[in-house]
Amino acid sequence: MNIAVVGAQWGDEGKGKIVDLVAPRFSLVARSAGGHNAGHTVYVSGRKFILRLIPSGILHEGVTCVIGNGVVVDLQALFDEVEELDRAGVTVAGRLVISDRAHVILPHHKDLDRLSETARGARKIGTTSRGIGPAYEDKIARRGLRMCDLADVPALEEHMRRVIELRNRLAGDEAPLDWRATSAKVTELAVRVRPWLADVSVLLDRASKEGKPMLFEGAQGTMLDIDHGTYPYVTSSSATAGGVCTGLGIGPGTVNAVLGILKAYTTRVGEGPLPTELLGPEGEALRARGQEFGAVTGRPRRCGWFDAVVVRHAVRVNGIDGFALTKLDVLDGLERVPVCNAYRCGDRVVTEFPADVRLLEHCEPILDWMPGWQAPTRGATSVAALPDAARAYIARLEALTGAAVVLVSTGPGRDETIVYDAPRVETWFGEGLLG
Ligand code: IMP
């Protein structure tokens, strides 16, 4: 089976942990979108790893990791991550393949990201300042630089001269970048990356024909998708299941099932609507209990209750076949827990997520309260060990969103997970996933 993993909310749902858990069941783990704006936190034997660009499968020796054409790659960030992993005893060389069609994030893209945010003023997106948006802008405007362009040094130098001169004009009084020095740095990194490049579509097609199981690892989440998210407060790539096909060069039939990663409540970083947001002490408590701070930028995440309007949207646009539910334990001990199933917008009740997010400024979530659970779900090792009220909460999420929960994460560690739907887990990942 080939499985796509996508975030069902605004990212940070815990994809890294789940991908790390199931990765040993796959020959290949491939990333299709985003860049080093992602932050996949994985705990292995008490050690914390934050993977930004390299697929989480890298922590398992037998797995080949792939970065697809839909990803934008900052070469310096790539090699920093490779070195970090090497220091931790994880060898990347020989196990990572990068698409020769992937676009390159150049040093000036970071500046353009910052300048664009400043120019937006109060309407800023709250980006991760990694140059992601400007790199995708160049791609769509057909003036980007791809991995396969790096071999032609004179053309690369000419490209760098043009883009840096433009950056310097846009940056006004700021210290200008020296295009020769920037170009020399990129050329040096280009030489290093060249042996890692390949035609990823051909590689995956071959693997598919050989019957090798593949895991497609999404980045960010549905509500940050350029088409289906809370536009314009989104990232610049296709974070939904459709992006897996364009971002890797595979046909839709290659994806056998879509696993949505779902947090038991809602968080987002950056600006933009979050209909169930908790602005007072309840939100602060959730942030503290869930350790909701950005893995890449360290920014505090905004927190809110579970929003089924958002998740129904995610189930539909991704074709989610089942969920891995994460961070249920963060809700342990609450007297009562709400879920939002609709918004009240004046005299209208809205049950489908609207295209125009300005509408949400005049909406309130309609909350349906359920009893909480006092016994901990943290550390539970079977479905039977979960408190009845926690199981009722899960059943309610399933009913409201129309997709079944197949795995439940009960803590940050790889093994702190419960198989919730054994037949489906066995079909997707094989027998004995949790030993
Ligand atoms: P960008 O991707 O840096 O352009 O940021 C655009 C928006 O996506 C901002 O709101 C970011 O906070 C958000 N974002 C980007 N990557 C992630 C992620 O991995 N997790 C959560 N939010 C993200």
Side-chain angles (χ1 to χ4, degrees):
M1 291 281 281
N2 303 325
I3 311 286
V5 175
V6 294
Q9 292 142 319
W10 274 276
D12 306 318
E13 297 94 351
K15 285 181 294 295
K17 169 188 159 157
I18 301 296
V19 168
D20 176 58
L21 171 73
V22 302
R25 301 301 170 106
F26 295 88
S27 301
L28 280 117
V29 178
R31 253 200 64 187
S32 51
H36 64 311
N37 49 348
H40 293 158
T41 309
V42 184
Y43 291 87
V44 184
S45 311
R47 280 172 76 189
K48 182 174 172 178
F49 290 87
I50 297 179
L51 296 154
R52 291 173 288 269
L53 182 60
I54 298 175
S56 313
I58 202 73
L59 301 177
H60 300 275
E61 255 177 38
V63 177
T64 300
C65 289
V66 174
I67 291 179
N69 57 279
V71 176
V72 283
V73 180
D74 179 318
L75 295 170
Q76 186 62 58
L78 169 73
F79 287 113
D80 287 349
E81 199 167 324
V82 168
E83 277 157 29
E84 229 174 275
L85 283 163
D86 272 342
R87 278 197 298 277
V90 179
T91 308
V92 179
R95 296 183 47 219
L96 179 68
V97 178
I98 303 173
S99 168
D100 50 10
R101 289 177 170 82
H103 279 248
V104 183
I105 301 181
L106 294 169
H108 73 293
H109 283 135
K110 219 157 106 175
D111 291 338
L112 296 180
D113 200 346
R114 182 173 44 78
L115 291 166
S116 154
E117 283 285 83
T118 309
R120 291 180 72 98
R123 289 169 40 256
K124 72 173 197 250
I125 309 288
T127 71
T128 58
S129 323
R130 299 292 188 269
I132 305 292
Y136 278 114
E137 278 173 45
D138 279 358
K139 171 178 174 173
I140 298 301
R142 297 164 293 186
R143 55 169 184 248
L145 191 79
R146 298 188 299 166
M147 288 291 183
C148 59
D149 301 323
L150 294 173
D152 184 344
V153 175
L156 175 61
E157 283 178 350
E158 175 53 23
H159 183 94
M160 293 307 297
R161 188 184 60 76
R162 237 181 315 118
V163 295
I164 298 290
E165 281 176 0
L166 178 64
R167 177 267 173 210
N168 287 345
R169 278 203 296 281
L170 292 172
D173 296 339
E174 270 186 34
L177 282 184
D178 174 352
W179 76 263
R180 282 191 183 81
T182 316
S183 180
K185 183 75 201 156
V186 174
T187 310
E188 181 199 318
L189 293 167
V191 173
R192 280 178 76 188
V193 82
R194 231 174 281 151
W196 305 31
L197 304 182
D199 186 325
V200 159
S201 174
V202 170
L203 176 92
L204 297 185
D205 186 52
R206 206 170 289 143
S208 174
K209 288 184 174 133
E210 286 168 5
K212 290 184 175 161
M214 299 185 279
L215 188 71
F216 308 125
E217 180 181 0
Q220 287 83 40
T222 303
M223 300 314 270
L224 291 171
D225 181 275
I226 186 75
D227 286 280
H228 301 289
T230 47
Y231 191 90
Y233 300 99
V234 290
T235 189
S236 301
S237 65
S238 298
T240 44
V244 165
C245 296
T246 51
L248 289 169
I250 56 171
T254 309
V255 182
N256 302 121
V258 179
L259 174 69
I261 312 298
L262 184 64
K263 203 181 271 190
Y265 50 97
T266 313
T267 62
R268 91 171 287 175
V269 267
E271 308 302 317
L274 179 59
T276 59
E277 183 164 19
L278 292 163
L279 292 167
E282 271 175 312
E284 274 162 36
L286 215 46
R287 183 177 311 122
R289 290 163 57 96
Q291 282 299 295
E292 296 294 356
F293 297 91
V296 168
T297 58
R299 291 181 291 177
R301 295 181 187 140
R302 298 157 61 195
C303 297
W305 297 124
F306 187 86
D307 188 340
V309 183
V310 163
V311 182
R312 268 200 304 276
H313 179 77
V315 169
R316 181 170 19 82
V317 302
N318 290 291
I320 289 174
D321 297 295
F323 289 122
L325 182 67
T326 61
K327 292 201 150 179
L328 183 65
D329 57 298
V330 173
L331 303 179
D332 287 357
L334 292 177
E335 209 171 293
R336 47 185 210 145
V337 202
V339 290
C340 163
N341 191 34
Y343 311 136
R344 189 176 311 286
C345 309
D347 52 8
R348 280 174 60 205
V349 171
V350 170
T351 54
E352 299 299 344
F353 203 87
D356 184 354
V357 295
R358 283 169 296 196
L359 179 74
L360 296 169
E361 289 165 20
H362 313 287
C363 295
E364 295 228 315
I366 301 174
L367 298 179
D368 181 8
W369 291 88
M370 302 181 64
W373 49 93
Q374 310 316 313
T377 63
R378 179 84 197 250
T381 53
S382 68
V383 179
L386 292 174
D388 288 347
R391 270 186 285 165
Y393 182 71
I394 295 173
R396 185 100 180 105
L397 304 193
E398 293 181 319
L400 293 179
T401 61
V405 169
V406 299
L407 286 165
V408 175
S409 155
T410 54
R414 191 185 274 168
D415 302 330
E416 292 176 285
T417 309
I418 296 174
V419 171
Y420 205 75
D421 177 341
R424 207 169 318 206
V425 168
E426 209 171 300
T427 309
W428 289 359
F429 306 115
E431 277 176 36
L433 179 67
L434 295 165

